Amino acid sequence: MSGVRPERREVDEAESLRANRADWDAYADEYQSTHGEFLGDHGFLWGPEGVREDDLHALGDVEGKDVLEIGSGAGQCSRWVLVHGGRPVGIDVSMRQLQHSRRIDEEHRVVVPTLCASAAGMPFGDATFDVVFSAFGALQFVADAEALVADVARVLRPGGVFAFSITHPTRWMFPDDPGEEGLVASQSYWDRTPYVEVDDVTGETRYVEHHRTLGDWVGALAHCGFRITDLHEPEWPAEHDRTWGGWSRVRGMLTPGSAVFVARLDGPRPGRAT
Ligand SMILES: C[S@@+](CC[C@H](N)C(=O)[O-])C[C@H]1O[C@@H](n2cnc3c(N)ncnc32)[C@H](O)[C@@H]1O
């Protein structure tokens, strides 16, 4: 059985998409069986700390609103939107994740419309949605985050809300290890060179993650006409003892693991990014 080796190098949109689509198709069954119960079939979890939309109210009232979820996975968050009276649509690059979405829909006799598409170049018209959100969805997986933010501004109606959670950018400095090793800074926060995993037999790119600093995200949002209304950095709850990848109690009690940006489209809507 082949393994992967980590690399740091520039990766374009096409290579990022190819690698991450295959990775999520292969990982989807394990992801859903490991985390499905914690996510909840119509739960809205913002991150491994366990903070939920019922606590954060980042989206505001979704009743009667058109809501797009980017990187919707098995649609748990979109189903929460449906339960709360909104009209959700999910996009995801992984057909296997979307098959899980359909499976859960059928179990609950509901329908969350979904599209198999990348967040990079979304197939929607201008000013289509009142709310766009992503809970640890695609934002870390696209090469050009600035173009994605511009595209979100394009598909949002004026005054619309954009909320997204990502790995807290400061975690980039540390090894992705849930134990004590993961508390020792070993690489530069400012080095945006993507993290890449390469199949050590075939040489194929198997996984790509892109990094932006907090300042990069603030700049991308501000330049596209967004006003940031909140930046949540959920604390690790004292009683919470669930390890999820590099997220753990050991690290969570000392360093932030997730960042949830909430922004409103105030400014003029920019043209589509090229
Ligand atoms: C960590 S999961 C989060 C899914 C869901 N929000 C949840 O909490 O389970 C990340 C999702 O983003 C999707 N994804 C990765 N790259 C993407 C891209 N470029 N465009 C759209 N979705 C993408 C993956 O297929 C996966 O379903």
Side-chain angles (χ1 to χ4, degrees), residues 17 20 24 31-32 39 45 69-74 76-77 91-94 97 117-120 135-138 141-142:
L17 174 60
N20 290 334
W24 276 100
Y31 180 83
Q32 297 303 334
L39 290 164
L45 189 72
E69 178 176 9
I70 298 175
S72 55
Q76 289 91 348
C77 301
I91 64 166
D92 201 288
V93 286
S94 165
Q97 285 279 70
S118 176
F136 271 85
F141 301 119
V142 300

Side-chain angles (χ1 to χ4, degrees), residues 86-124:
R87 288 184 294 274
V89 175
I91 64 166
D92 201 288
V93 286
S94 165
M95 190 53 93
R96 189 62 186 156
Q97 285 279 70
L98 294 179
Q99 284 172 343
H100 281 288
S101 193
R102 176 67 62 86
R103 169 184 59 78
I104 299 172
D105 274 3
E106 285 172 358
E107 285 166 14
H108 291 271
R109 295 168 189 266
V110 296
V111 177
V112 171
T114 57
L115 264 90
C116 193
S118 176
M122 292 187 287
F124 302 108

Side-chain angles (χ1 to χ4, degrees), residues 114-165:
T114 57
L115 264 90
C116 193
S118 176
M122 292 187 287
F124 302 108
D126 296 359
T128 302
F129 298 101
D130 304 298
V131 176
V132 176
F133 76 91
S134 181
F136 271 85
L139 281 91
Q140 299 168 200
F141 301 119
V142 300
D144 192 343
E146 295 73 17
L148 170 54
V149 173
D151 214 24
V152 170
R154 181 185 67 77
V155 302
L156 265 179
R157 298 183 179 125
V161 171
F162 179 31
F164 61 94
S165 59

Side-chain angles (χ1 to χ4, degrees), residues 60-88:
D61 185 0
V62 295
E63 187 167 1
K65 303 236 171 101
D66 294 307
V67 181
L68 171 64
E69 178 176 9
I70 298 175
S72 55
Q76 289 91 348
C77 301
S78 283
R79 237 169 265 112
W80 180 98
V81 170
L82 195 64
V83 167
H84 287 78
R87 288 184 294 274

Side-chain angles (χ1 to χ4, degrees), residues 26-249:
Y27 179 44
D29 291 4
E30 185 188 332
Y31 180 83
Q32 297 303 334
S33 65
T34 308
H35 302 297
E37 199 178 323
F38 186 50
L39 290 164
D41 288 352
H42 42 76
F44 193 139
L45 189 72
W46 278 111
E49 293 81 6
V51 69
R52 293 182 181 272
E53 175 59 7
D54 297 304
D55 311 313
L56 229 50
H57 307 294
L59 307 188
D61 185 0
V62 295
E63 187 167 1
K65 303 236 171 101
D66 294 307
V67 181
L68 171 64
E69 178 176 9
I70 298 175
S72 55
Q76 289 91 348
C77 301
S78 283
R79 237 169 265 112
W80 180 98
V81 170
L82 195 64
V83 167
H84 287 78
R87 288 184 294 274
V89 175
I91 64 166
D92 201 288
V93 286
S94 165
M95 190 53 93
R96 189 62 186 156
Q97 285 279 70
L98 294 179
Q99 284 172 343
H100 281 288
S101 193
R102 176 67 62 86
R103 169 184 59 78
I104 299 172
D105 274 3
E106 285 172 358
E107 285 166 14
H108 291 271
R109 295 168 189 266
V110 296
V111 177
V112 171
T114 57
L115 264 90
C116 193
S118 176
M122 292 187 287
F124 302 108
D126 296 359
T128 302
F129 298 101
D130 304 298
V131 176
V132 176
F133 76 91
S134 181
F136 271 85
L139 281 91
Q140 299 168 200
F141 301 119
V142 300
D144 192 343
E146 295 73 17
L148 170 54
V149 173
D151 214 24
V152 170
R154 181 185 67 77
V155 302
L156 265 179
R157 298 183 179 125
V161 171
F162 179 31
F164 61 94
S165 59
I166 51 172
T167 304
H168 197 288
T170 55
R171 280 275 163 104
W172 190 250
M173 295 181 282
F174 304 100
D176 192 30
D177 181 323
E180 302 279 340
E181 293 276 305
L183 290 169
V184 183
S186 56
Q187 68 175 17
S188 166
Y189 172 69
W190 297 281
D191 184 352
R192 280 92 162 167
T193 313
Y195 170 82
V196 184
E197 287 178 359
V198 176
D199 188 301
D200 57 18
V201 173
T202 65
E204 280 174 315
T205 305
R206 297 267 291 263
Y207 177 81
V208 181
E209 197 171 317
H210 296 269
H211 167 65
R212 289 101 198 170
T213 65
L214 284 167
D216 293 340
W217 285 114
V218 169
L221 290 164
H223 298 154
C224 291
F226 285 102
R227 175 171 52 91
I228 296 170
T229 54
D230 264 310
L231 171 54
H232 300 282
E233 297 168 295
E235 289 189 37
W236 194 271
E239 71 287 357
H240 188 47
D241 203 11
R242 182 187 176 87
T243 298
W244 182 329
W247 286 260
S248 66
R249 183 185 170 77

